[in-house]
């Protein structure tokens, strides 16, 4: 592997931000797009993700609102906030950062968000539209970001074997639906914690996507020579040398796997920035719909 094979998510995300900034400026709209963020509790990773999403939205010329609810918030209280944002015409887009504390029902929460403000694409309405390959679906940001990264990095998907490790609502399921769509045309396998012969399944992949949340899940023996490897994991592991006390690693044993790959995403700086870029793209799309543009 050489540096040419590293997929630079920061650079691709930056180009998308620039494209969106230009598009937004060209709209001559009477107001800015507005995205509302809801965070429940103080999970450090969620604090940092929401802060990043908010700062990028402002950098590209959007407004944002942040609602922070206490860890012990009940479902009714959260529902009331969602309902008020659903009804607020000045809010185009809404995102409730996951994971939610355990007393809250994530599925019910995501389904409560009005479909045309659901820029996360987690509601059954948007997932249904995605399944139907309807262009009006808001598609979950991480899967859509991965597809954009593949496209902009010149990775062929048509007819290729893609293996997705992980079946979550946020990444695995929508990503599998996207990759098998007409136009992308991959042959998709979804593996998960109960899959037998994981190494054998993975070793057949032309495109291997790890979305597990466990360091070193993908080791060199699981990767076919020349495969493209996309690492969705963002795991914090203790690190005394870092001021924060931790460092970020993905789900892939990067140093061992990278030499076998045609392309690979680093952590950090791979998929993460793309999630934010697609959130911005979805928010602009929601705004344009609300403005009738
Ligand atoms: N938690 C991890 N990824 C995401 C995401 O894309 N959206 C939300 N709302 N929560 C997340």
């Amino acid at each position: 592997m050489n540096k040419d094979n590293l997929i630079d998510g920061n650079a691709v995300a930056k180009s998308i931000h620039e494209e969106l900034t230009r598009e937004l400026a060209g709209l001559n709209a009477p107001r800015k797009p507005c995205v509302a963020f809801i965070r429940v509790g103080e999970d450090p990773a969620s604090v940092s993700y929401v802060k990043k999403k908010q700062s990028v939205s402002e950098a590209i010329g959007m407004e944002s609102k942040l609602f922070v609810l206490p860890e012990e918030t009940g479902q009714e209280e959260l529902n009331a906030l969602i309902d008020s944002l659903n009804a607020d015409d000045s809010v185009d887009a809404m995102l409730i950062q996951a994971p939610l504390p355990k007393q809250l029902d994530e599925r019910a929460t995501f389904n409560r968000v009005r479909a045309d403000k659901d820029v996360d694409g987690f509601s059954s309405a948007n997932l249904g539209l995605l399944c139907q390959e309807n262009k009006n679906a808001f598609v979950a940001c991480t899967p859509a970001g991965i597809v954009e990264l593949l496209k902009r990095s010149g990775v062929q998907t048509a007819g290729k074997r893609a293996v997705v490790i992980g079946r979550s609502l946020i990444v695995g399921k929508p990503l599998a639906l996207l990759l098998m769509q007409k136009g992308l045309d991959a042959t998709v396998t979804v593996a998960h914690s109960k899959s037998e012969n994981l190494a054998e399944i993975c070793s057949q992949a032309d495109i291997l996507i790890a979305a597990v949340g466990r360091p070193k899940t993908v080791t060199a023996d699981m990767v076919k020579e020349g495969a493209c490897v996309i690492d969705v994991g963002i795991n914090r592991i203790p690190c005394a040398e870092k001021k924060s006390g931790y460092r970020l690693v993905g789900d892939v044993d990067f140093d061992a796997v990278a030499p076998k790959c045609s392309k690979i995403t680093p952590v950090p700086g791979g998929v993460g920035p793309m999630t934010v870029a697609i959130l911005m793209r979805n928010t602009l799309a929601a705004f344009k719909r609300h403005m009738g543009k």
Side-chain angles (χ1 to χ4, degrees):
M1 227 244 349
N2 55 50
K3 277 255 174 210
D4 292 344
N5 295 347
L6 203 59
I7 297 180
D8 185 347
N10 281 320
V12 177
K14 185 163 173 273
S15 331
I16 294 173
H17 297 162
E18 286 163 2
E19 290 160 22
L20 295 175
T21 306
R22 270 198 301 278
E23 187 181 347
L24 185 51
L27 286 180
N28 286 318
R31 65 171 177 84
K32 292 177 175 184
C34 176
V35 52
F37 298 103
I38 302 176
R39 171 162 61 76
V40 187
E42 299 298 326
D43 169 63
S46 293
V47 171
S48 121
Y49 297 152
V50 172
K51 199 181 281 176
K52 183 71 190 173
K53 290 171 182 177
Q54 199 173 16
S55 84
V56 173
S57 60
E58 292 184 358
I60 69 168
M62 298 183 181
E63 260 175 41
S64 70
K65 296 182 177 180
L66 173 62
F67 299 85
V68 179
L69 303 177
E71 180 76 28
E72 61 279 6
T73 299
Q75 192 69 51
E76 282 186 11
E77 211 180 321
L78 178 57
N79 288 349
L81 175 57
I82 294 169
D83 292 350
S84 78
L85 294 170
N86 277 339
D88 185 340
D89 286 339
S90 72
V91 171
D92 301 292
M94 192 189 322
L95 179 145
I96 303 143
Q97 186 66 28
L100 291 171
K102 57 183 179 315
Q103 75 278 12
L104 297 169
D105 179 341
E106 278 193 358
R107 199 158 51 179
T109 300
F110 296 144
N111 283 341
R112 204 162 181 108
V113 177
R114 233 172 75 172
D116 62 344
K117 298 190 180 193
D118 171 30
V119 282
D120 254 331
F122 295 160
S123 65
S124 55
N126 277 308
L127 282 163
L129 290 173
L130 170 62
C131 210
Q132 291 178 333
E133 305 196 13
N134 186 313
K135 293 269 176 295
N136 290 322
F138 280 120
V139 180
C141 302
T142 301
I146 292 167
V147 166
E148 198 63 36
L149 210 47
L150 294 173
K151 283 184 181 165
R152 292 188 188 222
S153 308
V155 177
Q156 294 285 329
T157 53
K160 300 296 178 191
R161 182 164 289 231
V163 173
V164 180
I165 320 174
R167 53 181 159 179
S168 70
L169 180 71
I170 292 180
V171 185
K173 278 198 192 79
L175 180 57
L177 287 169
L178 275 178
L179 289 168
M180 73 173 79
Q181 275 190 351
K182 286 202 180 66
L184 288 168
D185 299 311
T187 303
V188 182
T189 301
V190 180
H192 47 77
S193 54
K194 299 285 192 298
S195 296
E196 290 180 357
N197 304 326
L198 182 64
E200 188 190 319
I201 294 167
C202 292
S203 65
Q204 292 175 16
D206 301 303
I207 302 165
L208 179 60
I209 298 144
V212 183
R214 199 186 62 205
K216 298 198 179 178
T217 300
V218 173
T219 49
D221 58 302
M222 298 165 77
V223 177
K224 182 163 91 174
E225 198 71 43
C228 169
V229 173
I230 305 290
D231 192 347
V232 188
I234 305 179
N235 306 295
R236 291 179 171 209
I237 59 166
C239 179
E241 287 99 72
K242 291 265 185 183
K243 212 168 75 190
S244 59
Y246 68 85
R247 68 187 176 93
L248 297 178
V249 298
D251 293 344
V252 175
D253 183 0
F254 184 91
D255 292 340
V257 167
K260 296 184 82 173
C261 298
S262 59
K263 296 213 184 306
I264 186 166
T265 59
V267 176
V271 173
M274 292 302 294
T275 298
V276 182
I278 301 298
L279 173 65
M280 301 302 126
R281 193 171 81 180
N282 286 354
T283 300
L284 183 57
F287 174 69
K288 282 161 68 181
R289 273 195 227 173
H290 293 158
M291 290 285 134
K293 300 233 182 210

